[in-house]
Amino acid sequence: GIGCTIGSGVFVLAGLTANSYAGPGASISYLFAGLVAAANGLPYAELSAVMPLDGSTYEYAYVSLGEIFAVMASLCQTLEYGGSAAAVARSWGEKFVDWLKGDEFSENDDLLVESALPQWAESLLEPGYGINPMAAIIASICTYLLLWGVKESKFATNLISTIKISLIAFMIIGGFVLSSGVVPDDENNPRPASFS
């Protein structure tokens, strides 16, 4: 559902892509990607209308293609969930460590403010060699939440998804307000809208 669709990359990757690679055309490419994702859901909607069964991908593949393809589809989905969970945990871990350090960078990647963490804590959280201990801690917390119960994990998913969608709506509305020229630069001179 939406909890799996909106990952932490939506906040970082969209800005990085728009800033470094695509510019204003990024919004058009995201629109096309959203249309493709919506079209991808149509076969599942059709299958669920024809075969109202539980089991998601495994059940649909089993009924339409046979058991061997159903097992292959479920193994691929398990691999997908493992890979995406590892990527999200790593992303959350890096962002959490950056938040703890309090590093601030300028537009040309010059360090403005030094780390607020003591040296021993920084070496513990970032040992190097691509190792991210905070990702393992976050993955363990998420696993414990899933093992705690369906009701509790569903509540956490709904809460986090609501926060993420609210943040995205805030950024969209804020972008429209700032680009419209309504917000003044100072008290006397409203800033004109420009698209340069």
Side-chain angles (χ1 to χ4, degrees), residues 144-159:
Y144 175 74
L145 182 63
L146 285 172
L147 293 175
W148 191 14
V150 173
K151 190 183 296 185
E152 291 80 6
S153 62
K154 180 68 175 162
F155 173 76
T157 300
N158 289 341
L159 178 68

Side-chain angles (χ1 to χ4, degrees), residues 8-9 80-95 132 135:
S8 62
E80 174 197 353
Y81 284 152
S84 63
V88 168
R90 183 171 181 84
S91 174
W92 284 4
E94 287 176 1
K95 286 171 186 49
N132 190 342

Side-chain angles (χ1 to χ4, degrees), residues 78-165:
T78 303
L79 182 64
E80 174 197 353
Y81 284 152
S84 63
V88 168
R90 183 171 181 84
S91 174
W92 284 4
E94 287 176 1
K95 286 171 186 49
F96 188 74
V97 170
D98 289 344
W99 176 72
L100 285 177
K101 286 170 53 178
D103 288 345
E104 291 184 23
F105 291 91
S106 66
E107 288 185 17
N108 55 357
D109 291 336
D110 293 333
L111 186 63
L112 297 177
V113 177
E114 288 292 325
S115 175
L117 283 177
Q119 183 63 34
W120 65 269
E122 192 169 338
S123 64
L124 183 68
L125 292 173
E126 289 184 330
Y129 306 106
I131 298 171
N132 190 342
M134 190 54 68
I137 293 169
I138 289 173
S140 300
I141 290 170
C142 292
T143 303
Y144 175 74
L145 182 63
L146 285 172
L147 293 175
W148 191 14
V150 173
K151 190 183 296 185
E152 291 80 6
S153 62
K154 180 68 175 162
F155 173 76
T157 300
N158 289 341
L159 178 68
I160 292 171
S161 297
T162 303
I163 291 170
K164 289 190 284 190
I165 290 174

Side-chain angles (χ1 to χ4, degrees), residues 9-67:
V10 74
F11 301 108
V12 178
L13 193 60
L16 179 68
T17 302
N19 185 28
S20 303
Y21 303 110
S27 58
I28 296 171
S29 64
Y30 283 125
L31 179 68
F32 283 133
L35 291 173
V36 169
N40 190 26
L42 292 177
Y44 280 105
E46 184 178 356
L47 281 171
S48 65
V50 173
M51 299 176 279
L53 304 167
D54 292 337
S56 182
T57 305
Y58 176 83
E59 192 65 41
Y60 298 144
Y62 181 79
V63 171
S64 59
L65 300 170
E67 186 174 2

